[in-house]
Structure formats: structure tokens, C-alpha cells
Amino acid sequence: MNRLTRIPVLARARNFASHSGSPLSSPNTVGPYQVFDRYAKRLQKDRSARRDDGEKSRTTDYVRDEVADRMMDRLLDIKRKFNTILDLGSGPGHLSKLLDAEITKKVVMLDSSEKLLHREPDSEFEVDVERIHADEERLLDVVAPNSQEAILSCLSLHWINDLPGVLVQIKEALQPDGVFIGAMFGGDTLFELRTSLQLAQLEREGGISPHVSPMTDTRDVSNLLGRAGFALLTVDVDEVRVAYPSMFELMEDLRDMGENNTIVGRRNFVHRDTLAAASAIYKALHGNEDGSVPATFQIIWMIGWKPAPNQPKPLERGSGKTNLKDVL
Amino acid sequence: MNATTTNGSTPLRRFAVHATTTCATHAEAYGKCILATYTDVRKDACKEEFAKFGACLREAVSCDY
């Protein structure tokens, strides 16, 4: 009975619902793809690079350095020598620093945070560096279509609002048979922090407000790459787990990484009671035996190639001649 | 990674030390209470445990000044 009466109510509510594609009229009603406040993110990143003259930002490089290292492994699998590589959302150049003359002649770093982009001097890099200060979401404004041999993105796509749109722009910017390799935080990233804060808010305040970004699911990424028109897709997941003395060090390090909360309509303030409660819950629910607490960073890897006529293609479905049963 | 809470230079860091070290036993009791009820948490489900934890924190913070 309950179910039946709910339907007309919903139908009526739909008539009054505003069109989701409407332009920005107030901070809390936004377009379909506005999840993150990109302006606030830029300020946070700039501030993180300035704190203690960049020292804070350098000591918290450990996650990005590790992932950049793993990305190099994937890049080295490609037996090709590049003239230029575009490092999209490069930050201070965790990945660009690892590139050498065997791989490319030049690297172009692009980031929306000017301070972070210029944190390291040119002498830190082995290859020629060009730095472009631009919004990652408007890639085609600064990069010509069909111009790039390779685009890499190491841990920046998780702050992109319009991920499908940016993937299309990346594909457009690539030359035919150009490659895109991306790594982004997603899936279960920081689930310990998310659940602890939610439980603490619920028990102390009686409601929740988001403090950890919504994450892209692994399954969605292959669909998005396919939809953007990439060929020969590879998507996989791996994890970096870091142990911290307590939740407070984790939150401080996240801030120094420039990874604070930037969800549109977020609450900028966490009550002290809630913080203390969350720290206690974090330890009780997720704590390690040695008294430290773990934080999981899940990384979604994506590799896609811009289609070209001379590129190897998968055979037609059903055209196989060998029965797999005979082989196995 | 960096043991920053040991040098209590900012109010938040001092607070962090109290929440994790000074009042560790009360924090643990509160954590255990949530652990026992986390599939059905509602407001003030662990009110008593938090009252003790909170009192300890306030006491510790007031001693800083």
C-alpha cells in the first residue's frame, strides 16, 4: 500500500524539479558536473606549496612519488621514443622528474596551481621543461588538437568535475596513435577517514556532511575511456597503504599535499568534539596492532590509445579459429 | 608519517595530543562503544562514553593555559 501511494507523490515532485542543466544561480544549485570547487582547490594547492617555503609540501610527496614511480614502469613498457610528453596536472613534477633522455626530449607540465607548478627549479629535471599554468578542465584552450604524442596524468584527475569531458579533450589533443596513461585516486581511497568522520558526525551531531570526495569507481573508468573514443584500453587498480600515528597526522598531511576537501557546498568546519570522536573511532575500527592507523589510497590506472588506421585492432568477435579448450 | 603531534605548537596539535595520548583510555572506551554499535548508530548512542572523553579533553586543554 505504501508503495502505491508514493508513486503519484514522486511524479508530482518531478514537475517542480528544476532543470539540472541550469546555469549557476546560487552556490548550492550547480550544473550536473559541478562536484568540486576548482577555485578553492587552486587556492589550497597554492597555499600548500607556500607553507614553510615548500618544505611541508615536499615532505608530503611520498604518495605521489610512489605512484609516479609505478607509472614509469608502465611508460617503460612502451617501446617508443617521444619528442614531447604532456604531463597533465603535473603538480611540482613528481612524474616529470623521473623522465630521462631515453624516453623523451622534452616534457610539458600543465597545472592549475601556479605555485605548485613552479615549486622545483628547472635543474631538478633531466629533460627540457616547459610549464603551462592553465586549468586542466580546459585542456584544448592551450593545447592544439592532434598535437601530442603522449599525455600522462599522475594523480590529478580526481579533482576534475567533468571527467568524461576531459577524457574527450585528452583524446582530441593526442595525435593519431598517441597514448594516454593516467593514474587517479578512486574506489576505496580514504575509506577509513570517510567512515570514521561519518560515524562521529552521526553519533555526535545527528547528521552528516561530506568531508571526503566522492570517488570514481573502477568499472566506470573503462566505460568512460571507451566513450571518449580511446582504443586498446587497459584499466587496473592498485593500492598504496600508509600508516599514520593518528588521524590528525593524516589530515595534516592531506592538507600539506593540497588535498583538502573541496566539495561544492561543503562545511568548512569540523567541531572539535566530532574530530576527537572521529579519531577514537578511526583507531577502534581500523587501527593497526602497533597503535598506528592505516590510510588506503586506491589508484585506478588507465591506458588508452587514440585510434589510427595502422594500429593493431582486436579481431572480430567470433572469428577465432583455435578452440581454447584444446589449449588449456 | 611525520610525528608532528609531539611538538604541540598550534592549538589543533595540542588538541590532537590530548585526543590521542592524554585521554587515550577514554578515547578507547568511546571507540569500543562505537565498534559495538556501528551497524546501528544513532545520535548520542555512546553519550556516556563521550561525556567522559569530552570532560577529560576539556580538563587537559584548560591545563595548557
Side-chain angles (χ1 to χ4, degrees), chain A residues 20-292:
Chain A
S20 59
S22 61
L24 310 180
S25 50
S26 95
N28 288 324
T29 53
V30 288
Y33 291 126
Q34 293 298 315
V35 185
F36 305 116
D37 183 344
R38 300 271 303 167
Y39 175 71
K41 180 85 282 162
R42 211 178 73 212
L43 290 183
Q44 289 171 353
K45 292 218 170 211
D46 281 350
R47 264 183 230 134
S48 78
R50 261 199 306 248
R51 213 166 278 133
D52 284 1
D53 217 16
E55 271 320 301
K56 285 277 185 190
S57 169
R58 283 189 193 97
T59 42
T60 51
D61 274 348
Y62 47 90
V63 177
R64 284 166 190 279
D65 281 344
E66 171 65 30
V67 175
D69 211 42
R70 294 184 189 180
M71 185 175 271
M72 281 306 288
D73 289 344
R74 282 154 215 258
L75 186 62
L76 288 169
D77 286 341
I78 296 169
K79 304 286 172 228
R80 199 183 273 190
K81 204 178 163 206
F82 299 100
N83 290 314
T84 57
I85 289 181
L86 177 68
D87 186 355
L88 179 66
S90 61
H94 302 97
L95 178 72
S96 298
K97 256 189 287 193
L98 302 175
L99 298 171
D100 59 34
E102 293 286 296
I103 302 165
T104 180
K105 283 189 189 129
K106 184 184 160 192
V107 61
V108 180
M109 287 162 53
L110 188 153
D111 202 280
S112 54
S113 161
E114 196 172 8
K115 297 275 178 300
L116 215 49
L117 189 63
H118 292 278
R119 197 189 79 185
E120 304 296 338
D122 282 0
S123 53
E124 289 281 317
F125 300 90
E126 289 188 34
V127 293
D128 292 339
V129 197
E130 185 189 328
R131 305 178 203 227
I132 303 177
H133 173 221
D135 190 348
E136 295 96 342
E137 285 191 347
R138 315 193 56 137
L139 178 65
L140 287 178
D141 288 359
V142 285
V143 173
N146 296 311
S147 65
Q148 302 298 318
E149 295 165 53
I151 299 183
L152 310 180
S153 172
C154 194
L155 300 181
S156 108
L157 293 177
H158 58 288
W159 290 118
I160 298 284
N161 281 312
D162 182 6
L163 189 58
V166 167
L167 289 174
V168 171
Q169 291 188 51
I170 291 173
K171 196 213 86 187
E172 285 302 313
L174 283 171
Q175 292 171 1
D177 205 29
V179 64
F180 166 61
I181 309 180
M184 71 186 285
F185 288 127
D188 290 336
T189 298
L190 293 179
F191 76 93
E192 300 97 340
L193 184 64
R194 184 200 305 274
T195 51
S196 306
L197 280 167
Q198 282 177 348
L199 282 173
Q201 280 187 317
L202 206 57
E203 199 274 329
R204 288 289 84 215
E205 301 171 27
I208 54 174
S209 139
H211 287 286
V212 178
S213 301
M215 297 287 170
T216 309
D217 204 88
T218 323
R219 280 167 301 178
D220 301 335
V221 170
S222 36
N223 292 339
L224 287 174
L225 283 174
R227 181 178 143 185
F230 284 103
L232 304 168
L233 307 178
T234 317
V235 175
D236 65 311
V237 187
D238 92 47
E239 258 175 32
V240 178
R241 270 163 77 90
V242 185
Y244 293 87
S246 80
M247 189 192 80
F248 293 97
E249 284 82 3
L250 166 64
M251 291 176 79
E252 192 176 329
D253 275 16
L254 286 174
R255 187 200 63 187
D256 290 339
M257 291 176 197
E259 297 291 315
N260 346 27
N261 181 14
T262 0
I263 302 170
V264 171
R266 70 202 170 281
R267 206 198 298 175
N268 283 312
F269 176 77
V270 191
H271 196 276
R272 288 276 159 111
D273 275 3
T274 312
L275 264 187
S279 155
I281 294 168
Y282 203 128
K283 194 161 181 182
L285 242 64
H286 307 290
N288 295 326
E289 275 177 16
D290 63 358
S292 61

Side-chain angles (χ1 to χ4, degrees), chain A residues 284-306:
Chain A
L285 242 64
H286 307 290
N288 295 326
E289 275 177 16
D290 63 358
S292 61
V293 296
T296 303
F297 297 91
Q298 200 171 65
I299 290 118
I300 304 176
W301 291 97
M302 47 192 120
I303 305 179
W305 296 75
K306 182 159 177 174

